[in-house]
Amino acid sequence: MRKIAWPFAAALTALLLSSCAPSVLGGSANNPFPAAGGVPHVSGGQTIYLRVDHSLADFGLEPSALEPALWVPSGYSSELGDVTGQFGFTADRVPDGWGFRLQAVRVERSSQSGSGSSAAGRTVYALWAVYEVTAPTDGIPGPYRFRGALRARGGGEVPVRLSVELDG
């Protein structure tokens, strides 16, 4: 049996352990912090991504109104589509020095089968928006609030309210 050099073995172990560590919430647009999960903390100059869940009824939309260019498989009996181009965002209240913008709007459609032999399956839609919030490098620590409005093309408008805590 071959022996592995100590520095190589230590580096390999560290790499394997780091791959098991949880990722930082809000670290990317693909892994946003759920806005309903509490107030996220940010550091000066940091960008965080926040997810806000909506329903089609919030906008008065039918599922047929959402037209992603491509449905991508996202799990068992579900697909994900980008519908960002079908929405508009206006930031109404942004603290000085901060950035606040719409990053993406996603729709997921999933098939749910009924229970029993006579129950028919149905298709369920989930809709969420991801917002990008960037803290200033020299901001004063404390809570900050953001407001805006998300509008659907051919549909209604919903208010967006987010809060973050700037750490010192």
Side-chain angles (χ1 to χ4, degrees):
M1 181 182 221
R2 291 180 58 190
K3 289 186 176 182
I4 298 176
W6 169 247
F8 176 74
L12 181 61
T13 301
L15 178 64
L16 290 172
L17 289 175
S18 69
S19 67
C20 297
S23 60
V24 176
L25 288 176
S28 72
N30 293 326
N31 184 27
F33 183 88
V39 178
H41 288 254
V42 297
S43 299
Q46 181 184 10
T47 297
I48 190 167
Y49 298 88
L50 302 166
R51 174 181 166 157
V52 177
D53 294 330
H54 299 286
S55 72
L56 297 178
D58 291 343
F59 297 97
L61 294 174
E62 294 296 321
S64 60
L66 299 173
E67 301 169 0
L70 178 67
W71 286 102
V72 178
S74 65
Y76 181 75
S77 297
S78 67
E79 300 171 298
L80 188 64
D82 185 340
V83 291
T84 307
Q86 298 172 35
F87 288 81
F89 176 70
T90 303
D92 298 330
R93 179 178 173 196
V94 181
D96 289 340
W98 287 77
F100 178 41
R101 71 181 192 93
L102 177 66
Q103 173 67 30
V105 181
R106 305 274 194 259
V107 62
E108 183 175 34
R109 89 179 155 191
S110 58
S111 299
Q112 295 182 346
S113 52
S115 60
S117 61
S118 64
R122 65 186 182 121
T123 302
V124 177
Y125 288 83
L127 181 71
W128 66 88
V130 177
Y131 299 91
E132 180 181 300
V133 177
T134 303
T137 55
D138 58 351
I140 298 170
Y144 287 85
R145 290 175 181 76
F146 302 84
R147 281 197 319 233
L150 183 63
R151 290 174 316 286
R153 182 180 66 201
E157 177 177 294
V158 297
V160 176
R161 292 181 177 85
L162 299 173
S163 297
V164 299
E165 179 85 20
L166 181 61
D167 294 333

